[in-house]
């Protein structure tokens, strides 16, 4: 046999081998090869048993998702899995790496499964808005029970070989380095065993208590998503006494509903968009990168500490600089506390905590940054302070060191101009908390050298960030688009909407919180001028009264001791006072108007960002909003959502309210175009 599937005859055992780098995805050629391999084994009387294994770093790690949305070439995966399961000779799956999605389903179609201790098995399709569509929702509950099937399908997290063995999803653990020999020996051992264990012939016991508990426990996590509910329904179907064939028919119908729906399209869009974001237009992919062996961080506050943790966790030593010993001690104390909290939850071993802390050098000596390869400034947003710091860095840092600012708004070109090496300067805008949030906006200055940008983009993967290239403009991509939403939300308050109505609309849309909930969480006083006699806006009035948000138990909402919000009569008075002073008439505001004024304006700003080439591609904007601001992944980001909503509808909504519409948005609407 040729192609990605080959066979080897080991006396009476036929070994069917996949070699389809990088992850042995189950594309058409692999499915065709598997079908031919199994048929070869069945046709040869000398073959008493078969083993399916994979070369490379992993067992089949899932479907080839580039085939999604296109006509599926035969045989489909369900056909291949059925052929394996219905074979009258034992078939053993030999698993290493990960058996995910379709790979898990191939293994479940086999009569026996053997895995190395480091292997993992799972069905992550729900993360693409789908469900296991080759019998996974029907076989897992029949083998391992409803409870585990719910966890695996509706949440999509893989389980270890040890957990899979305990659940019956694998039958034996192989030696870490002897999988092939152990699998062949296992195949010989079961060669004459009859009847063959087939998942389709097992009975799943109904467990309504487990289903109810699972739904309740995950209600917040699943809010707004279609796929978890479909996975749950399929698992319930497997255990309701229906035949396996009826269960498969139900699974197929649910799969097709999801596949044709907008949510799965959105989630698949983000899957590809995240990978696309790592590519830098105009820079060769093989450009030589600068070595980053030691990182300096200026500022040991919340941001500086969080930024440091990213590098320490990746095994990169960090020198952290502060101006006062008290601030330095407090910052390093918080870093240790964060690591120890992770260790207490079992996410880290105590020795990993000590290794990370051991790689941290806290100091008050600015000159200690002289031998760092990358220095990140994380002090407060003041241009004069930042320019002073960069001038000092210019004087002490070694040639070739990369100088980065964590600014979220300020002009990176102006910062770079305070040095004699503007080519070495760029923005690295981490999101708070920096040790948790995945997004990193990498801001390319006018003079940023190509190898500097490429080095930081590559480094972002090392520290487990999703990085997006942004141009220099006020607020870059994310905060620039946040601004019109906040401005319009404040105007809507003046016109008659309440904070609770506006926030409710955003939460129902799928956001983790609305504009005013976000303001209260971040602090109403952030960016406030600090003069209580100067009251020019509703926010000024709140801040002047000490209504700074959750930290003072009052902001746009009143809070109890558990930080539960309730509408504030005082805030209603302040808004009414401003309204009457402005001679504005209160009117009814519809939910639709809130969407048009707060979200359509964001899309418009995104189009302007693309027009001005401040983002490389529309999908990069979507990645920023998914990973940095909690835009619901099932809506695919603001630009994908605009495509789904209809660009003509967006333009009409903007024009109805008198907004100036981006030329790019207008032209795409007129030509029935799309951003993605």
């Amino acid at each position: 046999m040729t192609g990605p599937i080959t066979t080897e005859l080991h006396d009476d055992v036929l070994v069917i081998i996949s070699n389809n780098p990088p992850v042995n995805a189950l594309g058409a050629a692999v499915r065709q090869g598997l079908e031919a391999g199994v048929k070869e084994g069945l046709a040869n009387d000398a073959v008493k048993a078969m083993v399916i294994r994979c070369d490379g770093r992993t067992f089949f790690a899932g479907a080839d998702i580039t085939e999604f949305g296109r006509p599926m070439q035969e045989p489909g995966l369900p056909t291949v899995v059925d052929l394996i399961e219905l074979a009258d000779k034992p078939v053993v799956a030999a698993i290493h790496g990960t058996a995910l999605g379709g790979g898990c389903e191939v293994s479940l179609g086999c009569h026996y499964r053997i895995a190395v201790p480091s292997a993992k098995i799972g069905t992550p399709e729900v993360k693409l808005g789908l469900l296991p569509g080759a019998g996974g929702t029907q076989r897992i509950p029949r083998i391992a029970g409803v409870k585990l099937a719910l966890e695996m399908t509706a949440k999509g997290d893989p389980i270890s070989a040890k957990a899979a063995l305990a659940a019956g999803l694998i039958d034996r653990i192989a030696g870490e380095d002897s999988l092939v020999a152990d699998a062949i020996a296992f195949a010989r051992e079961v060669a004459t065993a009859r009847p063959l264990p087939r998942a389709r012939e097992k009975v799943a016991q109904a467990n309504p208590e487990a289903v109810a508990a699972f739904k309740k426990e995950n209600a917040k996590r699943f809010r707004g998503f279609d796929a978890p509910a479909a996975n749950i329904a399929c698992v319930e179907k497997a255990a309701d006494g229906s035949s396996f064939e009826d269960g498969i028919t139900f699974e197929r119908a649910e799969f097709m509903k999801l596949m044709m729906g907008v949510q799965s399209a959105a989630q698949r869009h983000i899957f590809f968009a995240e990978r696309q974001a790592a590519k830098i237009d105009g820079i060769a992919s093989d450009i030589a990168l600068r070595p980053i062996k030691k990182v300096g961080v200026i500022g040991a506050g919340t941001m500086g500490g969080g930024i440091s943790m990213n590098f320490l966790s990746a095994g990169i030593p960090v020198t952290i600089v502060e101006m006062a010993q008290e601030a330095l001690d407090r910052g390093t104390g918080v870093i240790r506390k964060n690591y120890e909290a992770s260790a207490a939850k079992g996410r880290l071993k105590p020795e990993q905590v000590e290794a990370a802390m051991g790689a941290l050098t806290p100091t008050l000596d600015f000159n200690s940054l002289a031998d760092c390869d990358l220095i990140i400034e994380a002090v407060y947003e003041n241009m004069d302070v930042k320019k002073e710091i960069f001038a000092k860095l210019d004087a002490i840092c070694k040639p070739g060191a990369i100088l980065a600012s964590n600014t979220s708004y300020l002009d990176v070109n102006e910062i770079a101009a305070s040095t004699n090496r503007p080519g070495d300067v760029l923005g690295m805008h981490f999101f708070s908390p920096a040790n948790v949030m995945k997004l990193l906006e990498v801001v390319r200055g006018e003079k940023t050298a190509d190898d500097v940008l490429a080095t930081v983009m590559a480094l972002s993967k090392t520290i487990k960030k999703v990085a997006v290239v942004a141009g220099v403009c006020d607020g870059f991509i994310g905060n620039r688009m946040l601004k019109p939403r906040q401005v319009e939300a404040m105007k809507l308050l003046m016109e008659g909407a309440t904070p609770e109505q506006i926030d409710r609309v955003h939460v129902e849309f799928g956001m983790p919180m609305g504009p005013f909930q976000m303001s209260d969480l971040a602090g109403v006083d952030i960016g406030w001028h600090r003069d209580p006699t100067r009251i020019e806006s509703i926010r000024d009035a709140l801040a002047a009264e000490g209504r700074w948000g959750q930290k003072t138990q009052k902001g746009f909402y009143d809070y109890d001791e558990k930080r539960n919000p309730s509408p504030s009569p005082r805030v209603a008075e302040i808004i009414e006072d401003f309204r009457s002073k402005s001679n504005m008439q209160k009117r009814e505001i519809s939910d639709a108007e809130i969407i048009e004024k707060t979200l359509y304006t964001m899309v418009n700003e995104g189009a302007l960002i693309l027009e001005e080439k401040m983002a490389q591609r529309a999908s990069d904007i979507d990645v920023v909003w998914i990973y940095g601001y909690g835009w619901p992944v099932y809506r695919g980001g603001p630009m994908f959502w605009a495509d789904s909503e209809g660009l003509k509808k967006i333009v009409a909504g903007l024009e109805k309210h008198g907004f100036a519409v981006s030329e790019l948005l207008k032209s795409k609407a007129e030509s029935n175009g799309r951003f993605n």
Side-chain angles (χ1 to χ4, degrees), residues 295-299 304-305 307-308 311 318-321 369 374-376 378:
V295 171
V297 175
I298 303 166
I307 289 168
S308 299
F311 295 98
V318 173
T319 298
I320 190 164
V321 180
L369 300 170
L374 164 67
I375 300 94
I376 303 168

Side-chain angles (χ1 to χ4, degrees), residues 123-127 129-130 146-157 210-233 235-236 258 263 267 507-511 632-635:
T123 52
E125 287 91 340
V126 70
K127 294 177 182 181
L130 295 169
V146 162
K147 196 172 179 183
L148 183 63
L150 291 170
E151 288 286 335
M152 289 181 70
T153 62
K155 283 167 82 172
D157 299 326
V211 174
F214 181 77
K215 285 179 178 176
K216 187 178 176 185
E217 189 184 316
N218 293 287
K220 190 175 177 188
R221 176 178 180 154
F222 295 160
R223 179 174 67 86
F225 286 90
D226 292 339
N231 276 277
I232 293 167
V235 169
E236 286 185 288
L258 293 174
Q263 287 202 1
Q267 288 176 257
V507 170
E508 285 175 359
F509 181 82
M511 299 289 194
V633 67
Y634 58 79
R635 293 194 191 272

Side-chain angles (χ1 to χ4, degrees), residues 171 196 307 348 513 521 592:
D171 302 287
L196 291 173
I307 289 168
L348 290 175
M513 61 185 73
L521 180 66

Side-chain angles (χ1 to χ4, degrees), residues 313-590:
S313 299
I316 300 170
V318 173
T319 298
I320 190 164
V321 180
E322 254 298 352
M323 291 178 69
Q325 189 65 46
E326 187 193 352
L328 190 63
D329 292 345
R330 187 169 57 247
T332 52
V334 169
I335 292 173
R336 176 173 280 283
K337 193 174 152 194
N338 285 341
Y339 276 129
E340 287 176 347
S342 291
K345 291 172 185 162
R347 291 179 192 152
L348 290 175
K349 293 175 180 162
E351 55 268 32
Q352 289 175 297
V353 174
E354 294 313 316
M357 292 307 297
L360 179 66
T361 306
T363 180
L364 301 177
D365 180 12
F366 206 84
N367 292 317
S368 299
L369 300 170
D371 64 342
C372 292
D373 303 301
L374 164 67
I375 300 94
I376 303 168
E377 162 276 308
V379 304
Y380 58 93
E381 291 285 78
N382 179 293
M383 180 59 87
D384 292 337
V385 172
K386 290 186 189 286
K387 283 161 78 170
E388 186 186 328
I389 287 171
F390 274 77
K392 278 169 84 175
L393 288 173
D394 190 30
I396 66 160
C397 290
K398 66 183 182 184
I402 297 173
L403 312 181
S405 174
N406 179 51
T407 179
S408 49
Y409 283 97
L410 299 177
D411 187 334
V412 171
N413 293 328
E414 192 179 335
I415 293 169
S418 62
T419 74
N420 291 308
R421 47 170 109 183
D424 294 340
V425 179
L426 82 177
M428 288 178 74
H429 178 211
F430 289 83
F431 284 66
S432 186
N435 54 308
V436 176
M437 296 293 283
K438 285 184 77 172
L439 181 68
L440 175 63
E441 280 184 320
V442 180
V443 187
R444 182 184 203 167
E446 219 169 81
K447 296 183 177 172
T448 301
D450 286 355
D451 66 333
V452 167
L453 183 64
T455 298
V456 170
M457 289 296 285
L459 183 64
S460 68
K461 286 186 185 171
T462 306
I463 61 170
K464 297 190 164 83
K465 296 295 177 198
V466 177
V468 171
V469 177
V472 177
C473 57
D474 184 50
F476 314 128
I477 297 171
N479 284 338
R480 177 172 165 178
M481 288 174 68
L482 186 64
K483 193 174 177 181
R485 185 183 90 159
Q486 302 303 100
V487 166
E488 293 308 318
M490 290 301 289
K491 284 184 190 170
L492 283 162
L493 286 187
M494 293 286 284
E495 292 176 39
T498 62
E500 358 0 312
Q501 183 194 5
I502 294 169
D503 285 345
R504 174 184 56 74
V505 168
H506 284 82
V507 170
E508 285 175 359
F509 181 82
M511 299 289 194
M513 61 185 73
F516 301 108
Q517 291 165 320
M518 190 179 84
S519 188
D520 276 1
L521 180 66
V524 177
D525 59 319
I526 286 182
W528 179 47
H529 48 63
R530 305 279 156 186
D531 179 356
T533 64
R534 191 177 130 207
I535 298 175
E536 296 164 356
S537 67
I538 292 169
R539 198 187 72 151
D540 285 350
L542 297 182
E545 289 188 10
R547 299 190 69 94
W548 293 0
Q550 289 190 17
K551 59 191 170 188
T552 58
Q553 289 196 298
K554 52 188 180 178
F556 282 95
Y557 295 88
D558 292 334
Y559 294 88
D560 63 19
E561 62 284 350
K562 290 183 180 171
R563 295 198 174 195
N564 294 314
S566 58
S568 169
R570 177 62 190 136
V571 170
E573 282 174 17
I574 290 170
I575 294 168
E576 189 52 54
D577 186 43
F578 264 87
R579 196 182 287 128
S580 61
K581 280 178 187 166
S582 307
N583 292 319
M584 287 184 76
Q585 289 299 311
K586 184 177 179 180
R587 62 183 181 84
E588 282 291 315
I589 307 283
S590 70

